[in-house]
Amino acid sequence: MGGLVMKVWGFLEKAWNLAVAEPRKVIHCAKVGLALSIVSLFYYIRPLYDNFGGNAMWAVMTVVVVFEYTVGATLSKCINRAAGTLLAGALGVGIYWVADQSGDELKPIVLGVSVFFFASAATFSRFIPLVKARFDYGAMIFILTFSLVSVSGYRMVELLKLAQDRLSTIAIGASLCILVTMLFCPIWAGCELHRLIHQNMEKLVDSLDGCVAHYFKDSGNLTISEENLNKKIQGYKCVLNSKATEESMCNFARWEPTHGRFNFGHPWKQYLKIGASLRRCAYCIETLNSCVGSEIEAPPCIRKHLSDKCLKVGSYSTNVLKELAITILNMKKSSKIELIVAEMNFAVQELRDALKSLPSHLLAPPSSTGEESTEGRSVPIKKADVLPPIMKALPLITVVSLLEEIAARIGG
Amino acid sequence: MGGLVMKVWGFLEKAWNLAVAEPRKVIHCAKVGLALSIVSLFYYIRPLYDNFGGNAMWAVMTVVVVFEYTVGATLSKCINRAAGTLLAGALGVGIYWVADQSGDELKPIVLGVSVFFFASAATFSRFIPLVKARFDYGAMIFILTFSLVSVSGYRMVELLKLAQDRLSTIAIGASLCILVTMLFCPIWAGCELHRLIHQNMEKLVDSLDGCVAHYFKDSGNLTISEENLNKKIQGYKCVLNSKATEESMCNFARWEPTHGRFNFGHPWKQYLKIGASLRRCAYCIETLNSCVGSEIEAPPCIRKHLSDKCLKVGSYSTNVLKELAITILNMKKSSKIELIVAEMNFAVQELRDALKSLPSHLLAPPSSTGEESTEGRSVPIKKADVLPPIMKALPLITVVSLLEEIAARIGG
């Protein structure tokens, strides 16, 4: 019993923390409550009820099913629902008419076969990637409406009246949702996507910074605690898993009208490309991180020889990322970006040169066997610090070129 | 006009290819059609219709909304729908009773406030990760039923009769779905998850094989064409993005009863761990791949010195992965696995030794400057081939230990 109370308490505490961390989610909940309360008026106000009767239920249903977190998602669901209902309603009435003409004996067979055929076809269309991404909900509503219309048509004569009532209540519910979601603290999928990309960039900066600092921590350039550092380094993990979120946000963002700095034809697909580049950087950082975490230590002399250059490459790389993050935030082409990229490439070149000079530098001490083992053990440090910056430069440059394209398109 | 026809034709062609590639999806579509046709009987057979009347609509609706691709998903939705409807129905009737007691003036206010409050709370609960993963649909049905009951209760006296009818039609629809999905070619989420993990492992084997073969292609060990090779190498990309699928499959698999070789308490969570390990391998392969693809070429002498060892590490690594894939497939602890892992570790050690001996080997030729640049340019090859196998060994060993745990649990 006590355990159960503790569990419930823990659950409530978690929920409270979530609410404090993201107040906009609480606002969304209040908006859902508001929309439902308004739609309830249909039942409380007698004239409205008399008009629509039991069909007013469909307005409540529409609000519950269609109201989503972002404006784009709500719009997309509304349009899907309306289109699916219209299409299936028209088709259902048509099929019903055909069945009516074919006589009482054939009627149930025609209706049954058509339900089977259209339901199967619509279900199959939901497996096609393009349909799944944008019209999944519409296809489901199509199946639902078509079955209801063609099946209930068997009994009811006022099929057209019913279809009309249902359409108008759905329209009322959908427009109420759109009004509430756009008027009270709207949450735009486009803004969310924009912010997500920007946050991911900053997380990568932190991770890269933290990784390099962690490896060279005895160089005396560490100012934050171990725990904080670890937390910073783990940031890249969010970036690894944000693909699905980015894609759905991008899909929703397309439905949204002009808002704030985003126009209707905003190049949302570019965000996906940037996201993919960021993920490629994150893969590199994941590899770098496991190198840094390995227990094989490089000898101090090599470490010292390379640490300055490595730190330099790291800090120039993060500079580029930071500048890109600012570019994204301001949606203006940065004037400095080319300079910073050149600086980074120069630092990478310096590091390469340092590596080339490494063997001869190490050959100086006379002890031959000691030198050999040093050489051998220097491999891990080369891996750990040289490899990823060079490779990171590649996706970074991709990002730069993409961003320049975006910046050019947006209004830089 | 011609363009539109071409587009439609292309779309149909794509759909046909999808159907040929995955016939089970077509079977699923036929199952949906079948279930809907059966539920239509409620309308065609008069005695059944007379019993439930207009409420038979809910059976159709349940079938459309609840029928999912896998058995687990269907079961989970059925249970969610039933639980949400029951809970919200009971609560709605209770609230309605309270509102009735508080007088005609207060009644709409009590009902409106309760709708606002409960709808907001249930919407918020959908943001909590645990609820979102397993009870998202149930929470939505709760909101829907609660609003419908408490709002329509304002008008109708036979609230209890209505609630009872609705529950029984939902039960009929849900049990029909469960019967159809389990009796006709059932598609189990558990099997799908099992197969996905196995496939991902094989894709990693192919990618790793292809990557190493591609790098040493002039060594004369290449038997397949360039195009095929590239296709093989790209296999790891599927592994990178399968996290979401794995998690939802795992969630659904939990609801499934015993089937085939899988019991009810099958350790599905272990599959997620294996999946995570595979993804870590895939990150490494992605890094390896971009190294291999870089234009910096190592000089032939170093390449020759290392290629045998690298190929050996590569083939032993893939051996381990292949053996693990077989282990997964058979769900039996492999007797050879420890031996193969030992072989792989030995090969990695040999490669390390070869690297250690590399500098002295290269110091033999007298020309000093040439040797230096060779040293410098040897870095890429070291990166490309030595680093990843060593690191890949880490997640592989994780996988091994996890698999041994699973194998021990399942019945090895």
Side-chain angles (χ1 to χ4, degrees), chain A residues 192-206:
Chain A
E192 295 287 299
L193 178 61
H194 188 82
R195 204 161 54 156
L196 180 71
I197 294 282
H198 179 247
Q199 272 175 356
N200 278 352
M201 246 175 206
E202 289 193 329
K203 273 178 189 159
L204 281 190
V205 169
D206 281 354

Side-chain angles (χ1 to χ4, degrees), chain A residues 43 46 61 151 155 287 387, chain B residues 43 46 151 155 287 387:
Chain A
Y43 280 90
R46 189 166 285 272
M61 222 160 183
V151 157
R155 294 282 163 189
T287 316
L387 154 69
Chain B
Y43 279 90
R46 189 163 285 273
V151 158
R155 294 281 163 187
T287 316
L387 153 70

Side-chain angles (χ1 to χ4, degrees), chain A residues 29 33 43-44 46 57 61 111 116 120 124 148 151 155 241 243 280 283 286-287 383 387 391, chain B residues 29 33 43-44 46 57 61 111 116 120 124 148 151 155 241 280 283 286-287 291 383 387 391:
Chain A
C29 297
Y43 280 90
Y44 300 140
R46 189 166 285 272
M57 182 189 80
M61 222 160 183
L111 287 177
F116 181 86
S120 300
F124 184 74
L148 283 183
V151 157
R155 294 282 163 189
N241 298 324
K243 187 181 155 95
R280 291 201 61 202
Y283 298 149
E286 135 90 17
T287 316
K383 285 187 312 186
L387 154 69
M391 290 197 329
Chain B
C29 299
Y43 279 90
Y44 299 140
R46 189 163 285 273
M57 182 188 82
M61 219 161 187
L111 287 177
F116 180 86
S120 300
F124 184 74
L148 283 184
V151 158
R155 294 281 163 187
N241 299 324
R280 291 200 60 203
Y283 297 150
E286 134 90 19
T287 316
C291 285
K383 283 186 314 185
L387 153 70
M391 290 195 330

Side-chain angles (χ1 to χ4, degrees), chain B residues 122-163:
Chain B
T123 305
F124 184 74
S125 80
R126 293 174 74 187
F127 285 120
I128 299 168
L130 180 80
V131 177
K132 188 168 184 55
R134 287 197 229 164
F135 308 112
D136 190 57
Y137 184 65
M140 201 181 82
I141 290 297
F142 176 88
I143 304 174
L144 179 61
T145 310
F146 183 76
S147 327
L148 283 184
V149 166
S150 71
V151 158
S152 65
Y154 192 70
R155 294 281 163 187
M156 294 166 205
V157 196
E158 337 102 295
L159 191 65
L160 282 173
K161 163 80 178 131
L162 184 82

Side-chain angles (χ1 to χ4, degrees), chain A residues 66-105:
Chain A
V66 146
F67 210 107
E68 291 278 329
Y69 185 55
T70 58
V71 176
T74 309
L75 274 176
S76 133
K77 273 201 153 179
C78 284
I79 293 169
N80 264 308
R81 192 177 176 98
T85 307
L86 256 178
L87 206 66
L91 195 67
V93 171
I95 294 282
Y96 183 71
W97 183 82
V98 169
D100 233 11
Q101 300 291 312
S102 52
D104 267 4
E105 297 251 313

